[in-house]
Amino acid sequence: MPSIKRRLFFYSVIIKQMINYKSEKVIYRDGEFYSSKDLGIVAASQTLHYGFGAFEGIRSYQTANGINLFKAKEHFERLKDSCEQIHLPFEWNINQLVKDTYKLLSKNKLVNAYIRPIVIAEADMTMVNSNKSHIILMAWEWNSYYGGELLKTCFSSYESRNPKSSPISAKVTGNYLSSVLAVSEAKRKGFDEAILTDMHGYLTESSSANIFIENDGKLYTPKEENIIAGITRKTIIQLAKELDIEVIEKNLTPEDLKKTDAAFLCGTAVEIVGLQLIENHVFPLAFADSLGAILQRVYKNIVLDKLSFEVII
Ligand code: PMP
């Protein structure tokens, strides 16, 4: 334990530095000079510089009963949990956030939308977790993520985030560098999406969705260990149970994926989307005939509050 004198010395250095960058300054952006007041918190936030932030993705749907902000409470609860896991303050009331999200949709005249809440750290150039944060909600119109197409996927040369370097069940901004690198690499190679593996070589997820594979009429999906166990994944597992479809959560390898009959991804933004191929392996079972297609239809009915009706996707 360092002496009190030494600790006081360090604290005074940190406080001095904090005052330095918090005083108003001129900041440069894209050829223009601005007051740091105008560029505000974001330019000096630990979120921007160090990936110390947390975010969510929520979908809203037009239904016969009005707008359905699908599982909004669960998303804000996960946002709170993500913040708590990294010690970023989360001091908002979740019910209020849900109400404010409906208001935001209304102010933007949005119905079928994607909502992106993000908690950012206060301006702070130290590496010590800021004790103040801000929440921002954005929303924009959203229909189909991949336009109904089946996806061509490849394995990523980037590994999934390592649970020993940051909490991976948290939707933390810094964790998403590997997603950006992976999907960008996939696109450069002519694929639509990347499938990542963990440090043991087991399948984890795509850049932003969970994966299910189908073999001999059963579904398999990676265990919760080294993935974001998504809200959609949980919904799919529940729906499968109700439909008497067996779902087995286990470690899966890239070889398992290459040998499988069919596969799909699921997530709030992508909903359920079938895979056409992985690398040079075309899945032999047509997606339309797979369990993924059945779950896709049922999922759509759930989000649209049409439990007893079929919809055409
Ligand atoms: N994995 C990753 C890496 C994600 O970013 C997401 C999207 N949040 C998911 C899985 C799916 O999660 P959810 O179903 O909760 O959207």
Side-chain angles (χ1 to χ4, degrees), residues 78 161 171 176 205 207-210 228 230-232 266-268:
R78 183 169 65 186
R161 33 220 152 229
K171 263 183 89 69
Y176 277 80
E205 51 207 333
S207 64
S208 58
N210 292 118
I228 286 199
I231 292 168
T232 320
C266 72
T268 301

Side-chain angles (χ1 to χ4, degrees), residues 155-167:
F155 292 112
S156 179
S157 70
Y158 296 97
E159 224 171 54
S160 277
R161 33 220 152 229
N162 188 317
K164 287 188 176 162
S165 56
S166 65

Side-chain angles (χ1 to χ4, degrees), residues 58 76 79 96-102 104 108 115-118 135-140:
I58 312 176
F76 281 116
L79 184 60
Q96 189 59 47
L97 286 172
V98 174
K99 278 189 203 155
D100 290 345
T101 308
Y102 276 107
L104 181 74
N108 284 296
I115 299 98
R116 167 55 55 84
I118 181 164
I135 189 162
I136 297 169
L137 305 178
M138 291 175 274
W140 57 94

Side-chain angles (χ1 to χ4, degrees), residues 70-71 74 230-240 295 299 302:
F70 189 61
K71 305 219 166 176
E74 278 182 46
I231 292 168
T232 320
R233 176 184 179 276
K234 197 169 148 197
T235 309
I236 296 299
I237 292 174
Q238 274 166 1
L239 291 178
L295 288 160
Y299 183 79
I302 301 265

Side-chain angles (χ1 to χ4, degrees), residues 78-141:
R78 183 169 65 186
L79 184 60
K80 183 173 185 208
D81 177 67
S82 297
C83 289
E84 284 172 356
Q85 286 199 55
I86 59 170
H87 308 284
L88 179 63
F90 184 101
E91 285 156 359
W92 303 278
N93 175 286
I94 287 178
N95 289 329
Q96 189 59 47
L97 286 172
V98 174
K99 278 189 203 155
D100 290 345
T101 308
Y102 276 107
K103 270 193 217 157
L104 181 74
L105 291 175
S106 154
K107 281 179 188 291
N108 284 296
K109 300 187 176 48
L110 287 168
V111 179
N112 292 306
Y114 181 83
I115 299 98
R116 167 55 55 84
I118 181 164
V119 177
I120 65 166
E122 174 67 353
D124 189 336
M125 286 291 97
T126 72
M127 292 269 176
V128 183
N129 62 298
S130 170
N131 57 14
K132 190 164 177 357
S133 56
H134 305 268
I135 189 162
I136 297 169
L137 305 178
M138 291 175 274
W140 57 94
E141 194 179 336

